Amino acid sequence: MGNVHRVVVLALDGVYPFELGIPSRVLGAADGRYSVVTCTVDGRPVRTNADFSVTVEHGPEVLATADTLVIPPFDTSLLTREAPAHAVAALAAVRPGTRIVSICTGAFVLASAGLLDGRRATTHWALAELFRSWYPQVLLDPDVLFVDDGDVLTSAGAASGVDVCLHLVRVDHGSEVANRVARLCVVPPWRDGGQAQYIEQPVPAPAANGTAATRDWALRNLHEPLSLASLADHARMSLRTFVRRFDEEVGMSPGRWIVQQRVDRARHLLESTDLAVDEIAGRVGFATGASLRQHLHAAIGVTPLAYRRTFRGAVLAAGRP
C-alpha cells in the first residue's frame, strides 16, 4: 500500500456540514490509502451554517502534517474581500509543496491569500461576478465543476466537492480505484459538462423528449463515427433542436461532449491495459493514433505514453493490476 496520504480538512466558522464531510466520506472509501483528519484554526468547536456546531479532534498543529489540505465552503454571509487573519495564518502553516483543495467559497480564502494569482480557478457560479470584482488577478472559469492547477485545485459548489475528491483518487491511484470509490459512495465516477447545466434558466423540455437515451447510445458506440446527424436521428429530432436540447441538458455541444467521452475512455484504457495507442484510438472512435495524441494533449497536456507511464506505472508499482 505504501505511505498513507495525510489529508487535513480545515473547518472555518460557518462551514457547510455536507461539504465538510465529503473528504472523509470519499477519500475514506479508498481502502486505507488516505488518512483524513479535521481541524479548526484554534482547536475549538465551530458553528456551521445550520442550527448546530461541530466539535473536532484537532487544532492547527495538524496543518503542518498535511500532504493535502482541503478547505470546505462556509456561509456566503461571512464572505469578505480580505479573508479572516486566522484563516490566512492557517494556510501559512502548511508545508511547502502541500496540495491545497478548495470547495465553493473556500476559493475566496485562497484568492485572498494570493495563492490563486495568475492561476485558473473556479467557484460557485452564483458567486462568479463577486469573485471577479474582488480578485481580477485570478483566471476564473465559472463554467467547470473543478480546476486542477497542479498543487492547487478549486471546485464549484456542494456536490462538486465529490467530483474533485474523486479526481484526487484518480490522479493518485488511477481510474480503477476511483471507480470503485464512486460505486461505494453511490455517485457517478465522472459528471459530464460543467456548471452551465446547473445555472438558473428556463426549464428544458421533459426528460422523455431529451437527449439522455442518445447519450447512452453514443457511449455504447464510441468506436463508430457518430456524426451530429446520426445523433439527431437517434434522438428523433431535427439537427437544430437536438443541438439546443443537448446544450441545455449537458452544458456543452454534442461534438465537444463526444470528444470528451472518447478522451476519458482512452485514459481509462491507457491506465488499465497494455493496448497499443493505435488500437486504443480505434476502440474509442479516433481515426488514428495521431488523432488520439492530439486530443489527449489538448485535454491534459501530455502524450499517451507519458500518461500511461504516470498512471499505469504508479498502479503497477503499488502492486495492483
Side-chain angles (χ1 to χ4, degrees), residues 33-56:
R33 292 174 171 84
Y34 300 92
S35 168
V36 184
V37 299
T38 306
C39 74
T40 60
V41 294
D42 54 10
R44 298 177 180 176
V46 294
R47 64 185 180 92
T48 70
N49 81 317
D51 64 340
F52 58 87
S53 296
V54 293
T55 301
V56 300

Side-chain angles (χ1 to χ4, degrees), residues 150-287:
D151 58 341
V152 177
L153 297 89
T154 52
S155 60
S160 66
V162 176
D163 297 308
V164 75
C165 284
L166 283 173
H167 175 71
L168 294 179
V169 177
R170 192 173 193 277
V171 168
D172 293 343
H173 301 290
S175 63
E176 295 294 331
V177 175
N179 290 344
R180 186 160 63 250
V181 168
R183 287 194 296 272
L184 287 171
C185 295
V186 199
V187 295
W190 182 273
R191 284 196 292 163
D192 300 322
Q195 293 193 71
Q197 59 191 312
Y198 304 104
I199 296 174
E200 294 177 6
Q201 57 187 338
V203 177
N209 297 322
T211 65
T214 296
R215 279 181 272 134
D216 289 340
W217 173 77
L219 288 174
R220 295 193 301 270
N221 293 277
L222 282 179
H223 58 286
E224 300 291 345
L226 294 180
S227 67
L228 192 55
S230 68
L231 294 171
D233 285 344
H234 184 274
R236 297 183 179 180
M237 298 178 189
S238 70
L239 199 60
R240 184 174 181 178
T241 299
F242 177 76
V243 171
R244 175 174 58 81
R245 293 264 179 86
F246 197 100
D247 187 75
E248 287 175 347
E249 295 174 18
V250 180
M252 66 177 69
S253 70
R256 180 182 169 193
W257 181 83
I258 289 292
V259 169
Q260 184 183 84
Q261 303 312 307
R262 285 173 168 159
V263 168
D264 289 345
R265 184 75 58 81
R267 289 169 68 173
H268 172 76
L269 292 174
L270 286 167
E271 294 173 18
S272 59
T273 76
D274 294 318
L275 294 172
V277 171
D278 286 346
E279 186 172 353
I280 290 175
R283 290 194 179 197
V284 303
F286 289 124

Side-chain angles (χ1 to χ4, degrees), residues 8 10 12 39 41 60 63-64 66 68-71 83-102 106-116 152:
V8 175
L10 176 62
L12 298 173
C39 74
V41 294
L63 291 168
T68 294
L69 172 67
V70 181
I71 302 181
H86 57 258
V88 176
L91 291 174
V94 302
R95 295 173 299 177
T98 299
R99 185 168 59 185
I100 300 177
V101 181
S102 70
F108 282 75
V109 176
L110 301 188
S112 178
L115 297 179
L116 299 180
V152 177

